[in-house]
Amino acid sequence: QQQVKQSPQSLIVQKGGISIINCAYENTAFDYFPWYQQFPGKGPALLIAIRPDVSEKKEGRFTISFNKSAKQFSLHIMDSQPGDSATYFCAASTSTGRRALTFGSGTRLQVQP
Amino acid sequence: GAGVSQTPSNKVTEKGKYVELRCDPISGHTALYWYRQSLGQGPEFLIYFQGTGAADDSGLPNDRFFAVRPEGSVSTLKIQRTERGDSAVYLCASSLVGGYQETQYFGPGTRLLVL
């Protein structure tokens, strides 16, 4: 019930390309969906987040698409840059229970120059 | 303007030993979280503090794990009788009041290796 499934495990994209990472959840009580970016040796940092009352949120080159009926959401990185090379985690939480985040297993993105 | 800090950055210990991991949250943040991140995995929740009290400790794997936050700021995660399976990166995060949809700010983590 608490699981968030993330794919792919790793992704290689050419500079300027689009990176797409997908997540699916089971717990319908989840109502907040952030994405975190983690560089080696650092803690995760919030990248962008979405609530289920909207289907898309865009911030610069980063876009979250949300499909409530399918219980899926995805991160799109447009014009991917070598500096975007990092591990990305989707996460979810609920307003009605645990405050902590439930994370996906992560996607290691490598953007080749 | 410092972020969340954690000490030590690395800890190597022997099986059966006791370890303490420290977290210093962002000043003024009343909510503090501990997560554990195994290699190649996402962080897993351990415990959440609201002020000095543990509001949710449902993620602690067993009674060898314990955490305190006596003055509502610094927190210490304590692991007794360490096992090799405890090897992981222990992450601490803080947020302003622990509210819904609040950003959690993570520290760099403590890398624990149990030999």
Side-chain angles (χ1 to χ4, degrees), chain A residues 9 31-32 36 38 40-46 51-52 89 93-95 98-106, chain B residues 33 35 37 40-45 48 56 58-59 91 98-109 111:
Chain A
Q9 185 175 359
D31 53 9
Y32 175 62
Y36 278 77
Q38 185 176 30
K42 306 292 185 182
L46 179 68
R51 294 193 315 267
F89 294 96
S93 68
T94 171
S95 59
R98 172 184 286 184
R99 283 291 180 265
L101 295 166
T102 299
F103 284 87
S105 55
Chain B
Y33 307 78
Y35 293 84
Q37 185 174 23
Q41 298 297 315
E44 292 181 302
F45 168 72
Y48 158 56
D56 182 355
S58 62
L91 294 165
Y100 168 54
Q101 298 184 2
E102 245 182 22
T103 299
Q104 293 183 24
Y105 297 88
F106 284 82
R111 285 151 192 78

Side-chain angles (χ1 to χ4, degrees), chain B:
Chain B
V4 177
S5 62
Q6 293 186 245
T7 54
S9 55
N10 293 280
K11 177 70 177 178
V12 181
T13 190
E14 294 179 345
K15 179 175 178 291
K17 298 291 187 181
Y18 168 83
V19 296
E20 289 189 350
L21 313 179
R22 176 188 166 110
C23 171
D24 205 333
I26 293 173
S27 178
H29 281 195
T30 61
L32 185 145
Y33 307 78
W34 282 98
Y35 293 84
R36 178 168 70 174
Q37 185 174 23
S38 299
L39 191 63
Q41 298 297 315
E44 292 181 302
F45 168 72
L46 294 175
I47 187 169
Y48 158 56
F49 285 90
Q50 182 53 258
T52 61
D56 182 355
D57 65 357
S58 62
L60 294 177
N62 52 59
D63 61 6
R64 296 187 296 106
F65 289 75
F66 189 71
V68 296
R69 196 185 184 199
E71 298 179 356
S73 55
V74 172
S75 176
T76 304
L77 178 66
K78 307 181 181 191
I79 310 175
Q80 299 178 324
R81 304 183 304 280
T82 52
E83 299 178 356
R84 293 191 178 87
D86 298 335
S87 297
V89 176
Y90 289 82
L91 294 165
C92 175
S94 71
S95 68
L96 188 59
V97 296
Y100 168 54
Q101 298 184 2
E102 245 182 22
T103 299
Q104 293 183 24
Y105 297 88
F106 284 82
T110 293
R111 285 151 192 78
L112 176 65
L113 177 61
V114 182
L115 300 177

Side-chain angles (χ1 to χ4, degrees), chain A residues 22-105:
Chain A
N22 301 298
C23 283
Y25 63 96
E26 297 175 353
N27 186 353
T28 55
F30 284 147
D31 53 9
Y32 175 62
F33 303 91
W35 285 87
Y36 278 77
Q37 180 188 54
Q38 185 176 30
F39 292 102
K42 306 292 185 182
L46 179 68
L47 189 63
I48 186 173
I50 196 169
R51 294 193 315 267
D53 55 343
V54 298
S55 59
E56 185 175 284
K57 182 174 182 179
K58 183 176 181 180
E59 290 184 1
R61 296 185 294 107
F62 301 92
T63 299
I64 300 178
S65 296
F66 185 82
N67 185 330
K68 187 174 181 178
S69 61
K71 293 186 286 186
Q72 296 176 347
F73 58 110
S74 61
L75 175 69
H76 295 232
I77 306 174
M78 311 300 288
D79 187 26
S80 298
Q81 299 296 311
D84 297 331
S85 298
T87 300
Y88 293 81
F89 294 96
C90 60
S93 68
T94 171
S95 59
T96 58
R98 172 184 286 184
R99 283 291 180 265
L101 295 166
T102 299
F103 284 87
S105 55

